[in-house]
Amino acid sequence: NAGVTQTPKFRILKIGQSMTLQCTQDMNHNYMYWYRQDPGMGLKLIYYSVGAGITDKGEVPNGYNVSRSTTEDFPLRLELAAPSQTSVYFCASSPYTEAFFGQGTRLTVV
Amino acid sequence: KQEVTQIPAALSVPEGENLVLNCSFTDSAIYNLQWFRQDPGKGLTSLLLIQSSQREQTSGRLNASLDKSSGRSTLYIAASQPGDSATYLCAVSGVTSGSRLTFGEGTQLTVNP
């Protein structure tokens, strides 16, 4: 069972560069989420989606964009990377209640 | 705005001890509460989910309780083992937000052999 798969696992980005963090799930869940976790902190919601074609902002959306063209995939786009975006990014999916998380992408912006 | 607080931030105990981790939340209008385990450099593993209508859930040596009216939950770990060493995160979802979660900052647990 693959569950929620995130790629890449690690990435170093230069200031001003752009990248897409990939997330795919094989559980046919309608709900998908992107969170970021800064050192020693809990997770904060960036964006979420309640189904294909529907996305909405979470608590900390600035500097990010998302799309949801299929049920399975929910990529997170970083435009013009900044040092403040250095963090660990987690994707999650849910049938509605319980959330299932990927292994995370550790991103460093230098 | 919902806020979740976990106390203590860190805990170190000898193997075999029973321990309690605490979680409090400011808005009692929750849909459910989840406890997660996070190992260093890893993702989150769901341990227990308590619906708002429930008072507790048990899984093996773990027992989570929920007192919605007072905005508190506890995670009880019986007979702790070195393999229990990890960060434990508490998260709540609101009545209208499904599994959109608000997290606490976690309790870092170390169980010493």
Side-chain angles (χ1 to χ4, degrees):
Chain A
N1 292 335
V4 180
T5 303
Q6 293 183 236
T7 56
K9 288 186 171 51
F10 304 93
R11 181 72 184 268
I12 298 175
L13 212 56
K14 293 184 178 179
I15 295 171
Q17 287 185 322
S18 301
M19 75 165 293
T20 299
L21 281 67
Q22 301 291 344
C23 175
T24 188
Q25 53 97 1
D26 62 359
M27 297 174 281
N28 202 33
H29 290 164
N30 283 328
Y31 297 82
M32 295 190 74
Y33 307 86
W34 275 105
Y35 294 88
R36 61 176 285 173
Q37 184 180 35
D38 298 326
M41 306 291 286
L43 282 70
K44 294 190 185 298
L45 183 64
I46 305 172
Y47 270 96
Y48 67 99
S49 170
V50 300
I54 306 170
T55 63
D56 206 348
K57 297 177 181 178
E59 185 181 0
V60 289
N62 291 343
Y64 307 95
N65 276 300
V66 294
S67 60
R68 183 95 182 271
S69 57
T70 67
T71 299
E72 294 77 20
D73 300 308
F74 190 40
L76 178 71
R77 178 79 176 165
L78 278 72
E79 305 281 2
L80 299 175
S84 60
Q85 293 178 305
T86 294
S87 190
V88 181
Y89 292 83
F90 289 101
C91 179
S93 74
S94 171
Y96 185 68
T97 53
E98 187 173 7
F100 299 86
F101 282 78
Q103 292 297 296
T105 294
R106 186 173 298 272
L107 175 68
T108 302
V109 182
V110 296
Chain B
K1 177 188 171 188
Q2 178 73 271
E3 293 183 0
V4 179
T5 304
Q6 291 186 246
I7 294 173
L11 182 63
S12 182
V13 301
E15 182 176 3
E17 192 162 299
N18 301 326
L19 58 98
V20 174
L21 307 182
N22 296 292
C23 172
S24 62
F25 46 94
T26 55
D27 185 351
S28 62
I30 65 167
Y31 185 72
N32 63 41
L33 182 145
Q34 271 187 271
W35 282 95
F36 293 91
R37 170 185 173 135
Q38 185 176 28
D39 293 288
K42 303 290 187 183
L44 279 67
T45 301
S46 180
L47 297 173
L48 291 164
L49 181 147
I50 310 177
Q51 301 284 4
S52 62
S53 58
Q54 297 174 320
R55 294 300 298 262
E56 66 177 343
Q57 282 285 346
T58 298
S59 176
R61 294 183 292 108
L62 305 179
N63 176 274
S65 67
L66 173 64
D67 184 342
K68 201 172 68 164
S69 61
S70 68
R72 294 180 187 276
S73 175
T74 60
L75 179 66
Y76 176 83
I77 302 177
S80 59
Q81 303 170 358
D84 294 330
S85 298
T87 296
Y88 291 80
L89 293 162
C90 168
V92 299
S93 64
V95 171
T96 59
S97 61
S99 50
R100 204 161 76 227
L101 297 168
T102 300
F103 281 84
E105 295 184 353
T107 293
Q108 186 173 353
L109 173 65
T110 302
V111 181
N112 301 300

